[in-house]
Amino acid sequence: MIKKQPYMNVGAVMLFVIFSLLFFILLYRYFSIEITGEVGGQPLAAKALQKHSREGILEAARGTIFDRNGEIVAEDTASYSLIAILDKKMTTNPKNPQHVVNPERTAKKLAEYIHMSESKIYEKLTKKGQFQVEFGKEGRDISFETKKKIEELKLPGITFVRDSKRFYPNGIFASHLVGYADRVEQTDGSYKSVGKMGIEKTLNSYLTGYNGKINYESDLWGYLLPDDKPKVTPAQNGKDVYLTIDKKIQTFLEDAMDKVDREYKPKKIIVIVADPKTGNILAMGQRPTFHPKTKEGIEKSWHNEAVETSFEPGSTMKVFTLSAAVQENVFNPNELYKSGTYKVTPTSKAIHDWNYSGWGSIPFLEGVQRSSNVAFARIANEKLGFDRFHDYLTKFGFDRPTGIQLPDEATGKILFHYPIEKATTAFGQGTAITPIQQIQAATAVANNGKMMKPNIIEKIVNHDTGEIEKKFNPEVVSSPISADTAKKVRDILETVVTSPKGTGSRYKIEGYSVAGKTGTAQIPDPTGGYLTGAKNYIFSFIGMAPKNDPKLIVYVAVQQPEVDDYTKGSIPVSEVFDPVMKNSLQYLNIQPSKQEKAIANKLPNLSGKSAQTVVKSLSEKGFESVVLGTGTEVKDQLPKADTTILEGEKVLIKTSGTIKIPDMTGWSLRDVMKMAKLADVKLNTSGSGYVMKQNMKPGTPLKKGDFLIIQLAIPEQQLKGTTQKDKNNDKTVQD
């Protein structure tokens, strides 16, 4: 035992040394941290702050898009994403489970409310090792009504995250112009609305808001500390955009296009309505189109045909050849020429009138009325000269985009190399231009020589303050012709519609003088030459009214409608132009230039009067009225006081008290829109014609912000009557 003692002492000494070193290391570490306040080069205070500092996101709203009257075209609205909690640790009280406890029952119930099969839902709910699961696009964009119904099922573990989605209350409504915005996933996993087409794309930087944040100190459980003052960086909501589009005129346009699309099944329809004094576009639409929410139909046409597609315009181009000749004082309406056939040069291909034989020797005025190709080839070559004619093509802006605030605008392609091409350009063949270029050029004729730049945006407004941040004023591009020339051209174009020899007889509108020009453009065959057949044309008309002081220009093009003779191509075009022009002029209170009978159909101011007395008074005058509300005194009305009522239009009267939804079966869309405005509900429509279905039962109380969904349709009897009427129509002359 005595011999082992030295080894034990050595061991004890070694242990003492080791523990002493550890002690000094710990002591050094303690004082080092105490003095520097850092660990591994990182401040301890910052580390502690991170442990208890929280940050929340204040989501910004995307700007709202309005029409020129403040009617909502696109807005953000609340939506919800469905989430299922799978982690059993979330349940602390077995009597009140916070995770999915019965995947089979849960899947069966959820399948009734989201577009996902029960088996797929069950598969997601039984994933191993997941804290929670989402349900992809099928589980997003859930409405408040659907969310409420799912919550009433009291399914354990099923919860929602609030989000926003883009809502288009008018459904199919200038869809390619307005465009759409999609929710795009960001790098941090969040979603943001991004414009993908139309105004939503062009003004995405204005419409997009910037999220704010809130920073605060919390305790271990995340609760706000009593003495802490949160630091808030407010969200910057996107700017609101006011378009020049007029909801009512756009509705006239959509209804007319629906009717023609259904009856004649054309490949395309393109329509533009513009104010020639300002260049403002009041309506723009096309078929095929799509629903901006569901994207249904978008695969048929990704392009805004009015802006992004150029094509040979046909005889509507003659408006501008005529304008150039009148301006240069080389158009003599009484001068005779030989119609039928014309050669620009002895060796060039012959140009024919549309009927090939012509009408013998006729005055140039009659040539315009009959839409003679030979007349306009002669005007370009012999009267103007091709160089001077080309100058006017440039003055009218056909060699460059208009600059309208819509994406991907195409430019015209003037075919002007050979004499035959220069001559055919004069009557709209060979050269390709866009519909919006034709509208811009036509403003010079309608606006006394001043050509106005097409404009689609009225103003951009700060969403939070209401301050106008940018205003788009009318812009004169140039003055290619004089006011006197413009008047003379309008007088000549009126005879295209009124003369028995004119090609535009279908475009007469009772009470209003219309000046315009028809067009029948051949369609190039991809294999060479042009397509043949009765329907293989683009039939069009560009018209302005009233002729003496035009307030509107309407351009309509219908491609390849189902007609058995090309002379009937004007029928579908007129069935768009006529109702759109007439209804729009009446809506704008443009008084007819001639009236057979003066009818006192202006509404008085009904506010403050007895609702019962007002209903009786209106009934005696032949007006149908609808009372909204349970009160006895009139608070508001639509149409407003001094408004001229259109035939068959209802007068809606708002009183105090609860508003109950009426039975709107058979109502026009115009009357439904008035009801929605007075009741302050959000309207979504599908189809066209008259109300066939509504999502709320008559008598249901309405609350501000409720969603009213209306299904429109044309009654079968009316369809048959219209079809029979068209079958009985005689052939009319058309270029």
Side-chain angles (χ1 to χ4, degrees), residues 491-547:
D491 289 341
I492 294 168
L493 294 179
E494 183 186 24
T495 68
V496 173
V497 177
T498 59
S499 171
K501 301 170 184 176
T503 58
S505 60
R506 288 190 180 276
Y507 304 97
K508 292 177 183 176
I509 296 177
E510 185 180 355
Y512 296 97
S513 54
V514 177
K517 185 70 193 73
T518 55
T520 305
Q522 292 179 285
I523 301 172
D525 189 332
T527 61
Y530 290 89
L531 297 176
T532 58
K535 69 177 184 179
N536 287 325
Y537 296 89
I538 299 175
F539 303 98
S540 61
F541 185 76
I542 189 165
M544 54 197 73
K547 184 262 297 184

Side-chain angles (χ1 to χ4, degrees), residues 425-679:
T425 291
F427 55 83
Q429 187 172 309
T431 286
I433 57 178
T434 64
I436 199 65
Q437 284 180 307
Q438 292 192 65
I439 285 288
Q440 176 178 267
T443 61
V445 178
N447 191 34
N448 294 325
K450 294 180 180 178
M451 188 168 77
M452 307 304 294
K453 179 180 178 179
N455 177 44
I456 199 66
I457 306 168
E458 184 180 285
K459 59 186 175 181
I460 297 174
V461 177
N462 187 295
H463 179 86
D464 300 314
T465 66
E467 179 184 352
I468 297 175
E469 297 198 353
K470 192 170 185 180
K471 192 167 179 63
F472 295 79
N473 296 314
E475 181 180 336
V476 178
V477 179
S478 64
S479 297
I481 57 177
S482 67
D484 185 55
T485 294
K487 182 182 181 305
K488 289 177 181 177
V489 171
R490 293 198 303 270
D491 289 341
I492 294 168
L493 294 179
E494 183 186 24
T495 68
V496 173
V497 177
T498 59
S499 171
K501 301 170 184 176
T503 58
S505 60
R506 288 190 180 276
Y507 304 97
K508 292 177 183 176
I509 296 177
E510 185 180 355
Y512 296 97
S513 54
V514 177
K517 185 70 193 73
T518 55
T520 305
Q522 292 179 285
I523 301 172
D525 189 332
T527 61
Y530 290 89
L531 297 176
T532 58
K535 69 177 184 179
N536 287 325
Y537 296 89
I538 299 175
F539 303 98
S540 61
F541 185 76
I542 189 165
M544 54 197 73
K547 184 262 297 184
N548 288 333
D549 185 19
K551 297 296 191 294
L552 294 176
I553 299 175
V554 178
Y555 173 83
V556 181
V558 180
Q559 179 178 328
Q560 294 167 287
E562 294 290 342
V563 292
D564 56 11
D565 191 293
Y566 87 99
T567 60
K568 293 182 179 179
S570 63
I571 297 174
V573 178
S574 67
E575 290 187 8
V576 176
F577 178 89
D578 293 1
V580 169
M581 178 63 91
K582 183 176 182 178
N583 289 337
S584 299
L585 289 171
Q586 290 180 336
Y587 160 66
L588 295 172
N589 288 325
I590 308 302
Q591 295 302 313
S593 54
K594 45 191 174 183
Q595 287 182 314
E596 294 179 6
K597 197 174 185 181
I599 302 173
N601 56 356
K602 281 192 176 182
L603 267 183
N605 187 351
L606 307 175
S607 296
K609 297 180 180 179
S610 163
Q612 187 176 357
T613 303
V614 165
V615 170
K616 183 179 178 182
S617 173
L618 290 174
S619 177
E620 290 173 351
K621 294 178 181 178
F623 299 140
E624 182 182 355
S625 56
V626 178
V627 179
L628 302 175
T630 55
T632 58
E633 183 178 307
V634 177
K635 299 293 184 183
D636 201 358
Q637 68 184 81
L638 278 178
K640 294 290 187 184
D642 296 325
T643 299
T644 301
I645 305 175
L646 303 181
E647 184 179 353
E649 192 172 3
K650 290 179 174 60
V651 178
L652 275 78
I653 300 163
K654 182 180 180 181
T655 68
S656 58
T658 303
I659 295 177
K660 295 181 180 180
I661 190 166
D663 184 356
M664 294 182 287
T665 304
W667 283 29
S668 69
L669 178 57
R670 185 184 304 120
D671 290 331
V672 173
M673 289 165 61
K674 288 187 294 191
M675 196 287 297
K677 186 171 183 179
L678 282 179

Side-chain angles (χ1 to χ4, degrees), residues 314-335:
S315 293
T316 53
M317 189 72 173
K318 294 172 181 175
V319 173
F320 313 108
T321 306
L322 173 65
S323 298
V326 173
Q327 177 67 25
E328 293 296 325
N329 202 28
V330 295
F331 179 79
N332 181 351
N334 300 314
E335 181 184 347

Side-chain angles (χ1 to χ4, degrees), residues 328-348:
E328 293 296 325
N329 202 28
V330 295
F331 179 79
N332 181 351
N334 300 314
E335 181 184 347
L336 298 177
Y337 76 98
K338 183 74 171 75
S339 65
T341 304
Y342 177 68
K343 281 193 172 187
V344 183
T345 67
T347 58
S348 67

